[in-house]
Amino acid sequence: MILLDGKTTAESIKENIREELDTHIHNGLRRPHLVAILVGNDGASKTYVDSKERNSRALGFNSTVLRLPEDTTQQFLIDKINTFNSDPEVDGILVQSPLPGHIDERVITQTIVPEKDVDGFHDINMGKLAKGDEGFVSATPLGVVMMLKAYRIPTSGKHCVVVGRSNIVGRPMSLLMSNNSEYGNCTVTLCHSRTTDLGHFTRQADILIVALGKPGFITSDMVKPGATVIDVGITRIEDPGRKSGYYLKGDVDFNGVKEVAGHITPVPGGVGLMTIAALLSNTFRAYKLNMGL
Ligand code: GUN
């Protein structure tokens, strides 16, 4: 079994960005600028946004985080996004999901201009992905592909089974793996909560990508020997014995499945770190397009 290490892989992607950025800075250009907007007090969302800010700064990007109260109106949020949309020195904008119930996420997703939509949630970017055209791809699926690429795991002609059909992960993941591209060309099966006999499908997977949010759900009997197993699940499990009060668990029963899988991602230390690297990569791409580079 080979462990797919998100830490070293993400570091090497960030190092490549850093080197290229150094050249642009040396030539007198400004730094890339990512804006993240957080509405409300969701603990996990706060952690993710803090991490995006920390990683952006560490890479030499400018980072603005707008932290808004839970009772922020939809119109106030739209106005803020529009200000960033028209600021030529802002390259990427993201609004952390989930949003409070009184805000319509679909409206917010369509408010960020597609050129700055580094999360790839806008209909135009999702549409481009569906058609196999170049656009911004949601960071988690993109991070997964970057991981497969880094470890040179063959995808062409392989059977990829994606479990979960969310707009953030499962659906774009299935499109990416089926597209005619260097790290696509898979035969893809997209499974979800209504799939009957899930194991029947997962056992056929050469590449199994799980984004369910059900800790430990995928057990060793559901995995084909030698398969590549990518665990996108990150659930906080309460643990009063820990300083943080919780630990993180993936959707895959790691200890059991690692005995069967050919390659497997750990949680933490796998896809989560790749998601950040992919977001930074999208932001750098938005910057270069914005600067005409
Ligand atoms: N919530 C969970 N994943 C994501 C993500 O990739 N982007 C944003 N904006 N919110 C999320």
Side-chain angles (χ1 to χ4, degrees):
M1 183 276 296
I2 294 172
L3 194 70
L4 299 171
D5 179 0
K7 193 162 193 286
T8 52
T9 312
E11 278 311 319
S12 108
I13 288 162
K14 289 192 278 184
E15 194 47 45
N16 286 341
I17 297 174
R18 192 177 285 118
E19 274 176 25
E20 199 182 330
L21 177 59
D22 280 350
T23 318
H24 300 319
I25 301 297
H26 185 76
N27 290 335
L29 300 183
R30 69 166 174 82
R31 294 177 181 278
H33 185 182
L34 174 65
V35 173
I37 304 175
L38 173 67
V39 187
N41 305 308
D42 180 70
S45 292
K46 275 186 183 172
T47 310
Y48 291 139
V49 168
D50 288 348
S51 172
K52 288 169 186 179
E53 179 179 35
R54 210 174 39 248
N55 276 274
S56 297
R57 296 225 164 117
L59 197 50
F61 289 10
N62 293 325
S63 165
T64 299
V65 177
L66 189 59
R67 294 179 173 84
L68 298 172
E70 183 86 17
D71 61 358
T72 299
T73 64
Q74 179 164 309
Q75 192 54 50
F76 185 86
L77 181 55
I78 290 172
D79 292 344
K80 285 289 173 199
I81 294 170
N82 279 328
T83 308
F84 293 123
N85 276 340
S86 50
D87 183 341
E89 300 213 347
V90 168
D91 303 294
I93 305 168
L94 69 88
V95 178
Q96 189 65 29
S97 176
L99 286 168
H102 65 279
I103 299 179
D104 186 341
E105 255 185 71
R106 286 171 311 167
V107 172
I108 298 307
T109 300
Q110 300 317 305
T111 304
I112 299 170
V113 290
E115 300 75 26
K116 298 190 182 189
D117 171 37
V118 285
D119 257 335
F121 294 171
H122 194 287
D123 288 358
I124 293 208
N125 283 317
M126 283 288 270
K128 284 184 174 174
L129 176 63
K131 292 176 78 178
D133 291 340
E134 287 237 328
F136 288 108
V137 177
S138 176
T140 300
L142 183 60
V144 169
V145 169
M146 286 172 158
M147 180 80 103
L148 295 172
K149 197 169 173 176
Y151 282 85
R152 296 193 165 81
I153 293 168
T155 57
S156 184
K158 302 294 181 189
H159 187 188
C160 175
V161 176
V162 179
V163 186
R165 58 179 158 186
S166 70
N167 285 329
I168 293 184
V169 185
R171 195 168 303 281
M173 191 78 249
S174 68
L175 292 166
L176 209 49
M177 298 310 291
S178 66
N179 277 350
N180 185 358
S181 59
E182 190 192 354
Y183 274 84
N185 283 320
C186 283
T187 303
V188 174
T189 302
L190 180 56
C191 299
H192 46 77
S193 53
R194 300 290 175 94
T195 299
T196 49
D197 194 2
L198 181 65
H200 169 76
F201 297 100
T202 59
R203 273 188 291 275
Q204 295 176 46
D206 300 308
I207 300 169
L208 177 61
I209 305 176
V210 193
L212 267 177
K214 290 188 182 174
F217 187 81
I218 300 291
T219 45
S220 58
D221 57 307
M222 299 170 83
V223 176
K224 177 159 96 172
T228 296
V229 180
I230 308 283
D231 189 352
V232 182
I234 305 181
T235 303
R236 288 182 173 199
I237 310 279
E238 276 189 35
D239 182 355
R242 297 193 190 216
K243 201 170 141 214
S244 62
Y246 66 88
Y247 67 96
L248 299 176
K249 191 164 169 58
D251 290 344
V252 174
D253 168 30
F254 183 83
N255 286 331
V257 173
K258 77 175 176 6
E259 303 300 330
V260 183
H263 293 81
I264 185 168
T265 59
V267 176
V271 172
L273 300 170
M274 295 305 296
T275 298
I276 299 267
L279 173 69
L280 297 169
S281 169
N282 274 347
T283 305
F284 192 48
R285 192 165 139 236
Y287 160 79
K288 288 193 282 183
L289 290 168
N290 195 14
M291 303 292 281
L293 295 169

